[in-house]
DNA sequence: CCTCAATTTGCAATCGATTGCCCAGGATCG
DNA sequence: CGATCCTGGGCAATCGATTGCAAATTGAGG
């Protein structure tokens, strides 16, 4: 790109040493230089349209003012709001974010992580909280700053920001109980995600609390197709069928919709369905989905805040922030049909 | 972050000069080094876990191996697939992407653009193609490499990658004509977007072609709320009502759904609706939406390819790539009701 | 008038890699 | 056998900013 203005050109115009320009233009050092000089330097810089080369600065200060955000898949609709939340906090503070997608692969995750480390990012926000061969442990060992978002830290002493999954599931179960449902099934997400287990555990304890019969069906991924597949299997069983489904997330719930449709079953008349996340447009599905709203943007913002606290204040306390969730009742749940 | 291995430590272990290490480790220069030496250096590098500091490299080579992607809003569901398409092409080639959201504000756009320039990005992909005070012109004047995606270049000689909007609209109109519709209305997107005008023009000429009466209603933004507002206005008119709506995009079409519902009208029985983009989950709306599928991921991939061609081959030809689109017929369109 | 401290600014090293230049040594050729 | 080429690799400058250190200037106090 075209010839850019450097600090020494500004220095020449202002009649001072480059070092002085640097100090004059930097908030934390400008009090080391005479106010008149500062003004002169400022003028010169503005006149030349100077803007610092952040690569050069980064080399010297060994900070890139960049954070890496590792997510499974941007096209999963819960992530865009999280990413926006992160950006909204970070950009005004001079940081950029680089978002990478692992597609659920540990190998990808590792490779992308290394490439971001190589780019000298100042810290990471991990939204891929599976507990397997994740690089999170290693990152922590290497002294790399990071925060977990939307997923638990799984033993790694990084700060974590999560929604109140237990409470959300409990509210769902309570809602179904009040509608007269007695037999529920939970579509549990992949066991490698900490959230899956939290939600399943809460489902079982909530069923117990409200005196319902609850069974759990395990899904291999958080996707529409998998939700449909597992629901097909549930419906194929000969044992007494549930009257309501508590899905591990909205994608699985959507798969349940598809399964019901292919089986000629109506929602909510024949089967009530509750999702999780309140992802965008879940209120426009057919039928509009009852689900648990998680404050995604706030999750992002909060995680960014915690990361910056680590970077700028060297505060490494492993706080855990739990944000409240809310059950959104729409049209996919109804009073149980008296058969 | 922890102490990192530098090139001179590798040099020491391998018993050679740092410059030699650099050449040995670089694909394009490794043939300047004896194969034995290359092997020795490689071993040393591996043993020490060396990975080059890309900031230092970037300073010297004045390239950051980063591209900036400027979009209006990541939470608009058409953008995640585009961004993924870009990433899929760029990441394996060693580039990272920094995605920023303008929220439609020219001021934001300018500021974000400058901050990315300051970060020495090697080029831009602009997905914010409004023709107003955009920085696109200025960027081109400054000799900055860039590509337009999903929006036309509006006179700036950057390469552009777009879907075949005209054809998509024509197919929609033809489909409606075949269903017996005679009076159509088009919800046109904001005039500042080039796509809006292309689609509106195609709508009118297609109506003429098929002998239909077509009117156009202008929307202030591409959003659900605006679609609802404008459709409300259309329905409030006393003149002869249309029997089908061709919406400028799926968001507007969704707004039409909402409007119809509040007016007690059924889709498709009382009004057929066609969207544009086939954004994720538009097949799960109520009713499943007939819409025009645009290959978003391919748009992204292709734009990334064109950008890299500029960056690496200095090829500045202003090609214009038009990708084919496809009408997806679902349940929001039906044979016109014989009133 | 001298000393000492404080303020302001210049100087030069530094961050870590890349690369033009040049030299040493061996191969090739006439 | 001497001139000429290659090949391999060392040397040092360079990218553009930051920053510890020291010098210069100023002012105050004795």
């Amino acid at each position: 790109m075209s010839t850019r203005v450097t600090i020494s050109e500004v220095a020449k115009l202002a009649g001072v040493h480059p070092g002085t320009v640097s100090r004059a233009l930097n908030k934390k050092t400008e009090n080391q230089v005479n106010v008149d000089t500062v003004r002169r330097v400022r003028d010169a810089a503005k006149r030349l349209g100077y803007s610092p080369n952040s690569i050069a600065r980064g080399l010297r200060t060994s900070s890139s003012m960049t954070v890496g955000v590792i997510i499974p898949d941007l096209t999963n609709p819960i992530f865009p709001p999280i990413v926006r939340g992160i950006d909204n906090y970070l950009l005004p503070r001079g940081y950029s974010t680089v978002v990478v997608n692992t597609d659920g692969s540990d190998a990808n995750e590792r490779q992308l992580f290394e490439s971001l480390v190589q780019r000298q990012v100042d810290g990471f926000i991990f939204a891929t909280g599976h507990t397997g061969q994740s690089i999170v442990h290693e990152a922590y060992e290497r002294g790399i700053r990071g925060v977990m978002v939307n997923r638990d830290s799984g033993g790694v002493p990084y700060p974590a920001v999560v929604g109140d999954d237990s409470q959300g599931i409990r509210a769902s179960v309570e809602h179904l109980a009040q509608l007269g449902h007695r037999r529920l099934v939970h579509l549990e997400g992949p066991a490698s995600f900490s959230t899956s287990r939290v939600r399943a555990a809460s489902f079982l304890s909530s069923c117990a609390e409200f005196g319902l019969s609850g069974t759990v069906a395990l899904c291999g991924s958080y996707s529409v197709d998998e939700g449909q597949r597992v629901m097909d299997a549930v419906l194929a069983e000969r044992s007494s069928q549930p009257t309501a489904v508590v899905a591990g997330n909205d994608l699985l719930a959507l798969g349940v919709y598809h399964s019901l449709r292919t089986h000629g079953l109506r929602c909510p008349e024949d089967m009530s369905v509750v999702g999780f996340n309140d992802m965008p447009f879940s209120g426009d599905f057919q039928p509009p989905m009852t689900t648990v709203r998680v404050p995604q943007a706030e999750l992002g913002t909060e995680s960014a805040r915690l990361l910056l606290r680590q970077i700028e204040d060297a505060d490494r306390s492993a706080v855990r922030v739990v944000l409240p969730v809310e059950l959104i009742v729409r049209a996919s749940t109804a009073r149980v049909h008296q058969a």
Side-chain angles (χ1 to χ4, degrees), chain A:
Chain A
M1 319 262 174
S2 51
T3 54
R4 294 177 37 80
V5 181
T6 73
I7 206 170
S8 54
E9 302 178 49
V10 176
K12 203 171 301 170
L13 180 58
V16 295
H17 190 271
T20 305
V21 174
S22 172
R23 281 186 277 254
L25 261 28
N26 233 299
K27 262 277 166 284
K28 347 209 133 163
T29 46
E30 69 173 345
N31 56 343
Q32 298 172 23
V33 20
N34 188 294
V35 282
D36 287 344
T37 315
V38 170
R39 195 171 16 251
R40 228 172 47 248
V41 170
R42 286 257 167 75
D43 284 355
K46 182 155 295 172
R47 190 151 45 189
L48 294 176
Y50 169 76
S51 91
N53 180 327
S54 43
I55 294 215
R57 167 185 294 163
L59 178 58
R60 180 61 225 247
T61 63
S62 70
S63 92
S64 58
M65 299 299 279
T66 300
V67 320
V69 179
I70 302 188
I71 64 177
D73 180 12
L74 189 63
T75 62
N76 177 334
I78 72 158
F79 290 111
I82 293 179
V83 171
R84 293 280 340 238
I86 293 172
D87 270 7
N88 287 348
Y89 189 84
L90 254 27
L91 279 176
R93 288 167 180 77
Y95 286 81
S96 290
T97 65
V98 178
V99 180
V100 296
N101 304 266
T102 66
D103 286 319
S105 142
D106 285 334
N108 285 346
E109 181 175 1
R110 171 166 303 273
Q111 188 181 345
L112 293 165
F113 171 76
E114 290 299 346
S115 102
L116 288 174
V117 168
Q118 177 170 340
R119 290 189 120 79
Q120 317 288 121
V121 299
D122 298 329
F124 283 89
I125 294 179
F126 298 100
T128 63
H130 52 134
T131 49
Q133 301 306 312
S134 170
I135 30 67
V136 176
H137 295 81
E138 184 183 329
Y140 188 83
E141 293 303 323
R142 288 214 245 161
I144 289 170
R145 284 164 281 250
V147 173
M148 311 292 301
V149 67
N150 197 40
R151 302 287 158 77
D152 227 324
S153 54
V156 180
Y158 278 134
V161 185
V162 295
D164 193 343
D165 285 13
S166 291
Q167 197 48 50
I169 293 290
R170 186 182 174 282
S172 303
V173 172
E174 180 176 20
H175 168 63
L176 292 169
Q178 285 172 350
L179 291 173
H181 293 273
R182 288 294 168 262
R183 290 188 309 282
L184 312 187
V185 63
H186 173 58
L187 263 52
E188 180 182 358
S192 54
F193 291 106
S194 60
T195 46
S196 305
R197 291 185 314 222
V198 170
R199 291 174 195 173
S202 171
F203 171 77
L204 291 173
S205 69
S206 300
C207 282
E209 177 184 352
F210 295 104
L212 313 180
S213 127
T215 59
V216 170
L218 191 63
C219 300
S221 68
Y222 276 122
S223 69
V224 176
D225 288 349
E226 182 68 1
Q228 177 168 7
R229 192 187 67 75
V230 172
M231 190 62 194
D232 283 346
V234 166
L235 292 174
E237 280 174 19
R238 60 182 64 213
S239 59
S240 70
Q241 289 286 318
T243 61
V245 181
V246 176
N249 76 357
D250 290 345
L251 259 17
L252 293 176
L254 200 50
V256 171
Y257 278 17
H258 291 183
S259 171
L260 293 176
R261 213 164 290 146
T262 63
H263 284 77
L265 296 172
R266 294 159 305 161
C267 175
E269 293 83 351
D270 301 315
M271 184 77 70
S272 285
V273 178
V274 183
F276 205 101
N277 278 337
D278 191 29
M279 71 184 207
F281 307 109
S282 61
D284 288 297
F285 293 153
Q286 178 169 21
M289 191 180 283
T290 296
T291 184
V292 175
R293 174 170 299 165
V294 177
Q296 271 110 8
E298 286 78 4
L299 286 180
T301 303
E302 186 62 19
S303 64
R305 211 169 58 71
L306 291 177
L307 183 60
L308 239 53
R309 185 183 293 177
Q310 279 183 67
I311 293 176
E312 299 189 337
D313 307 340
D315 174 353
R316 296 205 75 180
S317 57
V319 295
R320 185 163 182 281
V321 176
V322 179
L323 299 183
V325 301
E326 178 190 6
L327 180 70
I328 306 291
V329 177
R330 297 202 184 95
S332 66
T333 46
R335 182 149 285 281
V336 68
H337 183 66
Q338 303 299 342

